[in-house]
Amino acid sequence: AQTVTQSQPEMSVQEAETVTLSCTYDTSENNYYLFWYKQPPSRQMILVIRQEAYKQQNATENRFSVNFQKAAKSFSLKISDSQLGDTAMYFCAFGFSQGGSEKLVFGKGTKLTVNP
Amino acid sequence: GAVVSQHPSRVICKSGTSVKIECRSLDFQATTMFWYRQFPKKSLMLMATSNEGSKATYEQGVEKDKFLINHASLTLSTLTVTSAHPEDSSFYICSARAFGRHSSYNEQFFGPGTRLTVL
């Protein structure tokens, strides 16, 4: 079974500073994807960044980047130049195929607060 | 990006009644949709995978007779909570799978969720 662990229930950061959210996972799958989703107070899930497991290069999307350590099964998210709008719940998710369908397993989330 | 809607956004019902929640992909066709449940301050738990034209696949521990799923078209899936009880109160989120243009992975796009409160 796949598991995703986010060890930081809550974090806070000052505006314009950098913060890193941790995520580890456990799987026996060889082919999978990793995701970070953002859930603001509106509850709408928004994809922040995606990483294919077969790619060694870390994914980057503007101020968001990941540190993917496949051997350690670690997938942390770095948010640079934090903005007030980054305040949200952040979920790490593991994507894999089962029975011909892609499934997502989510971590418990990290509540991030960006302070002015 | 692809847009997924849910209706209603919020529903309050009496115990013992049934509630239907709709999930629509607005600008793409989705052969597969997913239904999640999210408890307060908790993560999303996959309930079932909805496949157009066939029976839904339920995750272990999810009562298929309690949570009826119908995926009658390529843009609509419905979740019916039958004989709802207070313990069914939760936030229900659907997602629709869209074929990735830049990736072999079929990305899931999420609806805004439905808050169900059973009195």
Side-chain angles (χ1 to χ4, degrees):
Chain A
Q2 281 58 236
T3 60
V4 178
T5 302
Q6 292 179 249
S7 59
Q8 306 151 313
E10 294 191 34
M11 292 192 71
S12 62
V13 64
Q14 290 298 121
E15 193 176 8
E17 293 187 348
T18 296
V19 64
T20 299
L21 309 183
S22 301
C23 174
T24 58
Y25 60 95
D26 191 24
T27 184
S28 58
E29 299 282 336
N30 291 319
N31 298 315
Y32 55 88
Y33 289 73
L34 293 161
F35 305 83
W36 278 98
Y37 282 90
K38 170 184 177 180
Q39 188 180 42
S42 68
R43 306 298 293 271
Q44 174 74 58
M45 294 287 286
I46 302 167
L47 178 64
V48 174
I49 199 165
R50 174 178 59 216
Q51 173 80 43
E52 291 90 340
Y54 62 86
K55 289 187 177 179
Q56 292 184 338
Q57 186 174 7
N58 290 322
T60 300
E61 287 287 346
N62 300 313
R63 297 183 295 107
F64 300 89
S65 62
V66 299
N67 183 3
F68 175 45
Q69 301 291 327
K70 190 172 184 179
K73 295 180 180 175
S74 171
F75 182 62
S76 61
L77 173 70
K78 186 172 79 172
I79 305 175
S80 304
D81 185 26
S82 298
Q83 301 176 0
L84 296 179
D86 295 334
T87 292
M89 282 290 292
Y90 286 82
F91 291 98
C92 178
F94 176 94
F96 67 105
S97 292
Q98 185 178 72
S101 178
E102 286 78 20
K103 293 188 175 183
L104 290 176
V105 175
F106 288 86
K108 292 186 176 181
T110 296
K111 182 180 180 181
L112 175 67
T113 301
V114 180
N115 299 308
Chain B
V3 180
V4 176
S5 70
Q6 275 184 248
H7 178 78
S9 59
R10 184 184 298 264
V11 57
I12 301 173
C13 69
K14 293 182 179 180
S15 184
T17 62
S18 295
V19 176
K20 180 185 286 187
I21 303 171
E22 293 185 347
C23 176
R24 294 182 184 273
S25 56
L26 297 185
D27 52 0
F28 67 99
Q29 293 183 332
T31 55
T32 303
M33 292 182 174
F34 303 87
W35 287 96
Y36 296 85
R37 184 172 179 175
Q38 185 178 29
F39 291 99
K41 299 183 179 180
K42 296 289 186 182
S43 184
L44 280 73
M45 299 296 295
L46 179 64
M47 298 174 64
T49 301
S50 169
N51 299 297
E52 187 270 335
S54 64
K55 292 183 178 180
T57 303
Y58 290 82
E59 295 299 302
Q60 191 173 12
V62 178
E63 300 177 59
K64 58 183 66 178
D65 294 331
K66 158 71 84 174
F67 299 101
L68 299 179
I69 291 172
N70 183 276
H71 194 157
S73 77
L74 288 173
T75 59
L76 173 65
S77 175
T78 60
L79 168 68
T80 301
V81 183
T82 62
S83 186
H85 291 283
E87 56 265 30
D88 298 324
S89 297
S90 191
F91 194 69
Y92 293 88
I93 303 175
C94 75
S95 71
R97 189 176 75 181
F99 293 98
R101 291 171 294 175
H102 305 294
S103 166
S104 61
Y105 188 84
N106 301 325
E107 184 173 347
Q108 292 186 31
F109 293 90
F110 287 82
T114 296
R115 164 76 62 197
L116 170 63
T117 302
V118 185
L119 303 176

